Amino acid sequence: MTRAIYPGSFDPFHNGHLDIARRAAGLFDELLVTVFDAPAKQLLFSTDERIELAGEALEDVKNITIVSYSGLTVKWAQRHGIRVIVRGLRNVDDLSFESRIDMANRLMAPQIETCYLLCSTDYVYLSSTILKEVASLDGDVSHWVTPHTEEALRQRFAERKQ
């Protein structure tokens, strides 16, 4: 059985992430969407909230499990017997960044492979940063997220305005 992880901060989980996760689930027996609990950036949603948002978006995909993790992704994968890390790429900048991470990972865990999936052209420009900025300014993000995530964004930014 081939297991893979799709790691990220997923703050929040958007349709670009959804596209990569669904496609990766079709390639592997089991896909773990791993939500990094302590990225070096300011988060809008807690780890539990990010897990819930991803879970709601992926609830119909039977071979996906969503979990949180800490520490180095490659070390977490090693400890759990996972041999493939899935990464989504939007452009050559992503490839440059991800390939440097992959080279470092290979030094630490040469048995783990990275599988790159190019995102759908519908989401080539989308990032969580852009999504959050548009949502914070009351812009329409319905084409970028599930209704559940759209509502969570609306509520979070309403709370911040009070």
Side-chain angles (χ1 to χ4, degrees), residues 51-115:
I51 289 170
E52 187 218 323
L53 293 172
E56 182 276 331
L58 294 164
E59 67 186 348
D60 64 318
V61 186
K62 302 302 179 218
N63 66 327
I64 290 181
T65 303
I66 298 137
V67 298
S68 67
Y69 77 103
S70 299
L72 288 172
T73 302
V74 71
K75 293 295 186 183
W76 191 92
Q78 262 184 325
R79 283 193 307 275
H80 291 85
I82 294 166
R83 298 198 49 230
V84 180
I85 298 172
V86 173
R87 298 299 296 160
L89 299 176
R90 294 170 295 189
N91 52 46
V92 294
D93 293 334
D94 283 355
L95 177 60
S96 176
F97 176 75
E98 294 292 343
S99 65
R100 289 190 307 271
I101 293 172
D102 185 38
M103 287 180 221
N105 285 346
R106 285 175 186 262
L107 287 172
M108 292 181 276
Q111 75 281 12
I112 295 178
E113 292 292 337
T114 301
C115 173

